[in-house]
Amino acid sequence: MLLEEALSSGTSSGNKSTSSPPLPPSDAALALLSFLRDELPAGGISAEKRFINLFSLIVDRAFGELNRPQPPSSATANNNKSLSSSPGTVTSPGGSTYSSPASSPSSNKLASTYTTSTTTSSSSGEDQLYQHVDGGWLSLLNTPKPTGASSTSTSSLHHSQKTQSLDNDPIVKLLRAPKQINNNNNDSYSQQQQQPTLLNALSAESIHRPQIKFKFPLGGLSPFFKELIQDWKMCYLQEVEIQNSAASMAARAGAGGRGGAFGASTAATTTATTIEGMVGKENATKILYHLLLNGPNEQVELKTYFQSGGGGGGNNVLQQKNMNQLSSPRAAFITPMKQQQQQMNTPRTTSTTNANNNEPNLELTMLEYYLLIFLRFPLANQEWEVQLQDQLRRMRYGAATTAYGQRVYSHLMSSYLKCYLPHGVYHRPDGGGVGGTTTQRVDGGEGGVPLDRTAELFLRLVIEFWVEGQVSPPTFAEGIQRYRNGRSAFLSTSSSSTSSSSSSSLNPTLRDSLELTQPLKTTYVSPPSQIQIGVLNLVRHLVSDVTVRNMVKTASMSCQRRQTQEREGRVPTTTDDDDATTAKISWCLPPAMTTIQPSIFNYIRLGFTCGSIHDRRSIFHRALEAWLVWVEPWNYVMKRRAVVVTGNNNGSSSSSATHRAGEFLRNAAATVSSHRVEYYPAYVKPKPTSPSTYSSQWEAYVVANLNLYTVPLAIFLKRARELDFSSTNEYPRSLALVQRVLRVFSKQVVTVLNSVLNRRADALSASLATMHRDNLKAFCPPSSWTLADCQLDATNLLEEVFSQYQKRKNEMDIFDRIDARLNALFSGKIGSDENSLQSLLSQVRYLMHLPQDYQVLPEEPKSSRGWGSFLGLGSRKDGSSLVENLLVPERDASGRLTDKGRAQIYSGMRKCNPIDVHFVGDPLLARVKTYEIPVLVELTVQASNYLNQKLGLVSEADVAEGQTTDEDTLSKHYHEMERYQKTLFRINLRFLADSRNIIFAYVLWWLFRTIGGFFSS
């Protein structure tokens, strides 16, 4: 069977479908690896042409066929007729068609433009358009079995696949990125890793055959990234305006007899420097100009589509300007009136058909096409969502496993990150190893690893598809304008506001970051779970780069020298060998981190603002993890491991315990043997209560990421009050989340932040902060914001945490107290809750510049500890009531606020204490507690009411009055509480429904029976 037939088996292409069974994924990948290793290097132009024809089939098998809308029958007939009459049309074995224009430099050998084979959808809805509905290798749920695996060996094969690394998987070998090889090490290990991959072949074809282009429909991007299309449209219209102005300048210069060439050069320079696209979408503009390497005419269909009014966004001002400038052929487009006449003369069809007839295609090289499909795949794959729901359902039973396709995708993405965004070299402080050498990697130099054209496209596609997503936050100018409009409308209705207070309230502060981040026009759409994990892995990869450590260390040393000079009063002179002479400093972040910094800033802001705080798998918690990794790069440490040199790897693997033991022994012996050693960054996850490991060498990093520390913190402090601190089970988790965030802001970090925010920093640090603000562009917040703006949110959060803790502590009965004491005793954390709260209070004091004597809650008066108070028989009419009356507002006998109490709260003279909020109602009729058995609660309540009525302890009228439902719930509870307070004595058997009491009674019965039986024998 030919490779083309094997890859296209079982798939539909147009009206043809093959009936032969498809080749298994593992066998197909092995066959393609054999083709790339043996035939393609030695096959010449015929093998190269065969590889180009195989490319669309490989994409379809790996990702699944792309579902496109079905064209009308007439259009299909016309297309088939034109294709059959075209002399340059050839049909590939996989059903793809490509044209060969005469302008192609290799038109007699290879075609230049290809249209990938896609599936037309006739019955599927519009929500399935441009989706990989047919699945592929990356959508498989289980690991594919190779040919010849019998059903009897399924269990042993499954066990071996668990322990075997994905590096030995044929699909991974085919699709992974080529590994970085050091040419100085000519050993068997290096030779083994030099295996051809699909990415090797695609990179070679893109370099040697740049005219070979594959078409991708623009409709495949419009459902997900409408702002991307609008930005590209604006760029093209700006380019048309520039070209028209350049043509008019050239015409005037030609009429004057000089300057034709000067006009053309000026136009080229203006195009490269003036066109910026939409504000806040600089990344989309950079992607477009990456695809327009040879000028705007490189994407002819896209240019014609935008000039004719396509792309959405309504009529642009630039279109109105260009209506009177149709002298240049490049600026010609259909006017709105002419377009309306054409629509009236055109037969009406469905909207999908019209979109399909006028839909343009992007012409991409093979590598560009593959990267776009790969990074778009998590958004256009429906099977992953089904697998995710099944995985969540299995997690309840403890049998959840990640799908095979998702594991392979994550592994491939990790290899692409290492290939296109490689780490720098780690230089050991002692200058070398003992008995071995360090594995060398790509050297980033002082400025980090420079991004080549392909690496920059890969990073910007990741930013556009994954980080920025479908919804972009408003710029700070737009958010502030919306904020002022809302405050102006509110103040206009308030007659008591003065001019000074109204003018100050129109300026937002750091505390208003949550409101300024809310999307303006569209609803926030959370990215899929796989993309959230991918963004987290991307942040980990960038932050763990040793180049960041080296660059930041150098910049921090310069800042500290400048601080010492300014503190000692020494003014730097021109003879000093220091950058401080000009108050300039080199940027301390690598190019990749610099490029992605604004997008990560917006990703974290949107995740904190729009994500669900109660769902552990939501974008809120994934963005929180990414933020904590970004703001604490010092948690990455360099660790050593030995590189195993093996000449032959047959794929066999031993048990996991044996493998881990051997790896541990090799790493331990690496320092005293001839093992080759490599250093890798390892993340040491800190405990919520552990102190920060920040050191002064990271000072420049904090300054260069100033707003990534302050703005997300302000949003978190406001949303953290939504955490559940009242539940016994959720309180430790919520408190640990708050502690994880606040532990980042140690005294050293806060000192650096305040020095920059309060304009007390040295000249070099101020220069770094300026470069950071310039990098954020339109998403840079005002420079007047300080951490003290968030004092109210921080104190409100502290009150919520302390009050809920105190309330839970006061409501604990004897069993809860015994259980808490035993847990603290066996865990070795006696008094840890109080210590954690005091540590939290001290952190917030320093962070928000609160007074040192600040107390979250007023101290409770200490009452006498006698048996009467222990049994609940003590009188409340003691001296403590005088102290309480000085702290709490006035209430009536039922606990409600009086008019005087409301006036006291409004004037600020009194403050409500959450601890004073007690249960309202009858304890006998309270709702079922978590430790009670519902059936027994109902039975014991009925038995208690029956006994109380028979014994005359409670009248029947009171019981009948408590069962009425005419009044609202709150009033009903107040009446129940009043009747309960009037009752002197009654029987309450509800304690028999407490499961803890039942267990305690059973234990006592068992002990009595055991001891009694021992003595009786």
Side-chain angles (χ1 to χ4, degrees):
M1 180 185 300
L2 292 176
L3 189 56
E4 289 82 359
E5 297 178 359
L7 291 176
S8 59
S9 297
T11 61
S12 61
S13 178
N15 297 327
K16 298 180 182 180
S17 62
T18 58
S19 59
S20 57
L23 195 65
S26 300
D27 296 344
L30 291 174
L32 289 171
L33 283 172
S34 177
F35 171 79
L36 295 176
R37 182 181 64 251
D38 301 330
E39 182 177 348
L40 183 60
I45 192 66
S46 59
E48 189 176 358
K49 185 174 182 180
R50 186 187 181 192
F51 172 68
I52 295 174
N53 292 332
L54 284 173
F55 174 67
S56 60
L57 300 178
I58 297 173
V59 172
D60 290 343
R61 287 299 302 272
F63 303 98
E65 297 185 3
L66 193 65
N67 186 17
R68 295 185 64 176
Q70 184 180 9
S73 57
S74 59
T76 305
N78 294 334
N79 290 338
N80 294 336
K81 182 177 179 181
S82 61
L83 288 175
S84 61
S85 61
S86 178
T89 300
V90 185
T91 303
S92 68
S96 303
T97 58
Y98 56 86
S99 60
S100 178
S103 60
S104 173
S106 305
S107 58
N108 57 341
K109 296 181 180 181
L110 293 175
S112 66
T113 307
Y114 292 76
T115 304
T116 57
S117 60
T118 54
T119 304
T120 57
S121 174
S122 58
S123 59
S124 60
E126 293 185 359
D127 57 339
Q128 295 183 354
L129 294 178
Y130 305 106
Q131 300 278 335
H132 297 276
V133 293
D134 293 337
W137 294 344
L138 298 182
S139 299
L140 295 176
L141 179 61
N142 300 318
T143 305
K145 296 186 297 184
T147 303
S150 60
S151 59
T152 58
S153 61
T154 303
S155 59
S156 61
L157 178 64
H158 182 68
H159 175 73
S160 64
Q161 289 170 350
K162 278 186 177 181
T163 58
Q164 187 177 4
S165 173
L166 281 176
D167 287 329
N168 298 323
D169 189 278
I171 297 178
V172 174
K173 288 183 178 180
L174 174 66
L175 301 179
R176 69 185 177 190
K179 295 186 176 181
Q180 299 292 337
I181 302 300
N182 183 19
N183 297 328
N184 298 329
N185 299 327
N186 296 323
D187 52 11
S188 58
Y189 175 79
S190 300
Q191 297 297 331
Q192 177 192 352
Q193 302 301 323
Q194 294 177 358
Q195 297 178 357
T197 63
L198 179 64
L199 224 58
N200 286 117
L202 297 181
S203 301
E205 289 295 328
S206 300
I207 295 175
H208 300 292
R209 303 289 183 183
Q211 74 278 6
I212 303 298
K213 298 294 183 66
F214 280 75
K215 292 185 177 181
F216 182 83
L218 186 65
L221 298 178
S222 57
F224 309 104
F225 312 104
K226 296 181 180 179
E227 292 186 357
L228 172 70
I229 308 300
Q230 295 176 6
D231 177 77
W232 287 2
K233 177 180 180 179
M234 179 175 292
C235 290
Y236 265 105
L237 295 179
Q238 287 179 347
E239 191 272 339
V240 168
E241 183 182 27
I242 291 174
Q243 294 296 331
N244 289 337
S245 61
S248 60
M249 290 175 56
R252 289 194 299 266
R258 38 179 319 197
F262 173 77
S265 61
T266 304
T269 305
T270 306
T271 303
T273 57
T274 305
I275 298 179
E276 297 180 355
M278 296 172 56
V279 177
K281 294 296 294 180
E282 291 81 8
N283 184 75
T285 307
K286 296 294 181 61
I287 294 177
L288 176 64
Y289 278 95
H290 178 95
L291 303 178
L292 302 179
L293 183 62
N294 298 324
N297 289 329
E298 189 170 356
Q299 301 288 342
V300 179
E301 295 186 27
L302 203 63
K303 178 180 179 181
T304 306
Y305 176 71
F306 288 143
Q307 291 184 8
S308 61
N315 293 331
N316 195 285
V317 179
L318 295 175
Q319 290 181 342
Q320 302 297 331
K321 292 181 180 180
N322 293 329
M323 288 182 63
N324 300 325
Q325 300 177 0
L326 301 179
S327 58
S328 174
R330 300 182 63 185
F333 63 93
I334 303 176
T335 61
M337 183 174 295
K338 186 175 181 181
Q339 184 178 3
Q340 183 177 3
Q341 294 177 357
Q342 291 181 356
Q343 292 177 356
M344 295 176 59
N345 298 330
T346 304
R348 290 186 175 270
T349 57
T350 60
S351 59
T352 304
T353 304
N354 286 334
N356 186 53
N357 289 337
N358 300 326
E359 180 185 58
N361 293 299
L362 293 172
E363 295 184 2
L364 309 173
T365 63
M366 300 175 70
L367 183 59
E368 294 170 351
Y369 187 91
Y370 176 82
L371 292 178
L372 188 145
I373 289 289
F374 179 84
L375 296 174
R376 178 185 173 274
F377 181 72
L379 296 170
N381 178 28
Q382 297 179 347
E383 296 186 19
W384 276 9
E385 293 299 326
V386 178
Q387 294 172 2
L388 178 62
Q389 297 300 326
D390 181 70
Q391 180 182 354
L392 295 178
R393 185 170 56 254
R394 292 185 179 184
M395 286 183 64
R396 302 174 183 175
Y397 305 98
T401 56
T402 308
Y404 167 79
Q406 299 182 29
R407 289 190 288 114
V408 170
Y409 188 91
S410 300
H411 191 83
L412 294 176
M413 184 63 190
S414 177
S415 68
Y416 295 164
L417 290 177
K418 295 177 182 178
C419 177
Y420 294 117
L421 306 175
H423 286 182
V425 178
Y426 174 69
H427 302 284
R428 293 188 55 182
D430 54 359
V434 179
T437 58
T438 303
T439 301
Q440 299 295 318
R441 294 186 294 276
V442 179
D443 191 356
E446 296 182 356
V449 179
L451 296 178
D452 58 9
R453 186 170 179 269
T454 304
E456 184 178 0
L457 175 64
F458 172 78
L459 179 60
R460 294 197 177 278
L461 287 177
V462 171
I463 294 174
E464 187 65 32
F465 290 177
W466 289 16
V467 183
E468 294 188 356
Q470 306 179 35
V471 180
S472 298
T475 62
F476 271 93
E478 297 172 346
I480 292 174
Q481 184 62 37
R482 179 181 59 179
Y483 178 89
R484 290 176 176 173
N485 294 338
R487 293 300 183 274
S488 299
F490 173 77
L491 293 176
S492 61
T493 59
S494 177
S495 59
S496 60
S497 60
T498 60
S499 59
S500 60
S501 61
S502 61
S503 60
S504 61
S505 62
L506 291 178
N507 297 323
T509 61
L510 182 60
R511 183 173 179 263
D512 303 311
S513 299
L514 177 65
E515 183 178 350
L516 298 178
T517 309
Q518 292 285 353
L520 290 174
K521 302 177 182 179
T522 57
T523 305
Y524 177 75
V525 179
S526 178
S529 177
Q530 189 70 21
I531 287 184
Q532 298 176 21
I533 298 174
V535 173
L536 178 58
N537 294 332
L538 172 64
V539 171
R540 289 172 176 171
H541 177 79
L542 295 177
V543 173
S544 62
D545 189 2
V546 70
T547 308
V548 179
R549 182 184 300 268
N550 297 334
M551 296 176 62
V552 168
K553 184 177 181 180
T554 303
S556 299
M557 293 175 62
S558 300
C559 293
Q560 292 165 10
R561 286 196 301 267
R562 180 57 182 255
Q563 293 170 7
T564 303
Q565 293 173 355
E566 293 182 356
R567 187 165 51 249
E568 295 177 354
R570 295 189 298 110
V571 179
T573 60
T574 57
T575 59
D576 295 337
D577 188 12
D578 196 346
D579 291 337
T581 56
T582 58
K584 293 182 180 179
I585 188 174
S586 300
W587 182 242
C588 60
L589 296 183
M593 289 191 70
T594 304
T595 302
I596 203 175
Q597 188 186 58
S599 303
I600 285 293
F601 177 60
N602 293 330
Y603 175 84
I604 295 172
R605 287 198 301 144
L606 278 176
F608 282 8
T609 303
C610 305
S612 173
I613 200 172
H614 301 289
D615 186 5
R616 297 291 174 178
R617 301 180 185 87
S618 66
I619 182 62
F620 179 89
H621 292 275
R622 296 280 172 77
L624 178 66
E625 293 293 333
W627 179 54
L628 292 178
V629 172
W630 187 281
V631 298
E632 280 195 304
W634 44 85
N635 288 333
Y636 276 93
V637 297
M638 302 303 297
K639 291 188 176 182
R640 179 182 64 250
R641 63 186 173 192
V643 179
V644 181
V645 180
T646 56
N648 185 17
N649 187 6
N650 54 9
S652 62
S653 59
S654 58
S655 62
S656 58
T658 305
H659 176 72
R660 288 195 300 268
E663 184 179 1
F664 174 77
L665 293 176
R666 285 193 300 270
N667 295 337
T671 56
V672 295
S673 65
S674 59
H675 283 87
R676 181 141 51 78
V677 178
E678 71 174 358
Y679 288 85
Y680 67 98
Y683 182 70
V684 181
K685 187 176 181 179
K687 296 181 179 180
T689 56
S690 62
S692 175
T693 59
Y694 168 85
S695 61
S696 59
Q697 69 175 2
W698 292 99
E699 180 179 348
Y701 183 89
V702 176
V703 177
N705 293 275
L706 176 67
N707 291 293
L708 273 87
Y709 284 87
T710 57
V711 175
L713 173 65
I715 301 176
F716 176 82
L717 290 176
K718 182 162 289 189
R719 292 213 60 191
R721 293 194 65 189
E722 303 176 22
L723 295 172
D724 189 2
F725 295 100
S726 60
S727 174
T728 305
N729 297 329
E730 293 297 329
Y731 175 82
R733 301 177 184 176
S734 301
L735 180 60
L737 189 63
V738 176
Q739 289 174 334
R740 288 186 59 193
V741 172
L742 294 183
R743 65 168 298 278
V744 176
F745 298 88
S746 60
K747 292 185 178 181
Q748 296 84 355
V749 174
V750 174
T751 301
V752 175
L753 294 175
N754 286 331
S755 64
V756 180
L757 294 174
N758 298 329
R759 296 178 176 84
R760 296 194 306 265
D762 58 278
L764 296 185
S765 298
S767 179
L768 275 179
T770 302
M771 288 187 283
H772 163 64
R773 295 188 179 100
D774 294 341
N775 189 39
L776 294 182
K777 298 181 176 67
F779 298 105
C780 179
S783 59
S784 60
W785 288 1
T786 60
L787 291 176
D789 298 336
C790 302
Q791 281 187 0
L792 182 59
D793 292 330
T795 53
N796 290 339
L797 177 60
L798 284 179
E799 291 179 1
E800 181 72 17
V801 175
F802 275 70
S803 62
Q804 291 296 340
Y805 171 76
Q806 193 66 31
K807 188 176 181 180
R808 286 174 53 253
K809 185 178 178 181
N810 294 338
E811 293 178 352
M812 292 173 64
D813 54 17
I814 185 172
F815 298 102
D816 295 329
R817 295 179 185 274
I818 293 176
D819 181 66
R821 290 292 180 179
L822 292 177
N823 291 335
L825 178 63
F826 287 105
S827 61
K829 298 179 180 179
I830 299 179
S832 60
D833 292 342
E834 289 80 2
N835 296 335
S836 299
L837 292 180
Q838 292 301 322
S839 176
L840 192 68
L841 175 59
S842 62
Q843 289 176 346
V844 175
R845 281 175 182 168
Y846 193 85
L847 177 62
M848 297 301 165
H849 198 61
L850 297 174
Q852 292 299 320
D853 57 348
Y854 169 78
Q855 294 294 332
V856 180
L857 298 176
E859 296 183 359
E860 295 184 347
K862 297 182 180 180
S863 58
S864 60
R865 295 291 183 179
W867 285 103
S869 61
F870 178 77
L871 297 176
L873 302 177
S875 176
R876 292 182 53 88
K877 296 181 179 180
D878 51 8
S880 63
S881 60
L882 299 177
V883 181
E884 292 179 359
N885 291 334
L886 297 177
L887 301 176
V888 299
E890 185 181 60
R891 300 178 183 269
D892 56 13
S894 62
R896 301 181 184 180
L897 287 172
T898 62
D899 294 338
K900 182 179 179 181
R902 293 189 181 92
Q904 290 173 345
I905 295 176
Y906 184 77
S907 61
M909 299 176 60
R910 297 290 188 271
K911 182 178 181 181
C912 291
N913 191 349
I915 301 178
D916 296 334
V917 179
H918 300 287
F919 173 74
V920 177
D922 189 351
L924 181 62
L925 304 178
R927 63 181 180 180
V928 181
K929 305 296 191 300
T930 57
Y931 49 81
E932 292 179 330
I933 302 175
V935 178
L936 295 181
V937 169
E938 184 178 358
L939 293 176
T940 54
V941 170
Q942 293 178 0
S944 301
N945 291 332
Y946 177 79
L947 291 176
N948 291 327
Q949 293 179 19
K950 289 298 181 182
L951 297 176
L953 301 177
V954 177
S955 62
E956 296 182 0
D958 293 340
V959 176
E961 183 181 357
Q963 295 177 355
T964 59
T965 58
D966 297 338
E967 53 190 356
D968 59 281
T969 305
L970 183 60
S971 300
K972 180 180 178 181
H973 290 331
Y974 268 111
H975 290 165
E976 291 176 354
M977 185 176 63
E978 292 176 356
R979 290 192 299 270
Y980 166 68
Q981 292 176 350
K982 294 178 182 179
T983 303
L984 298 178
F985 178 79
R986 69 176 181 179
I987 297 175
N988 188 353
L989 301 177
R990 186 163 174 172
F991 70 95
L992 297 176
D994 194 333
S995 60
R996 300 169 297 179
N997 295 336
I998 297 175
I999 295 175
F1000 182 72
Y1002 175 78
V1003 172
L1004 289 180
W1005 173 80
W1006 179 80
L1007 290 175
F1008 179 78
R1009 180 180 179 183
T1010 303
I1011 297 173
F1014 175 77
F1015 285 105
S1016 62
S1017 60

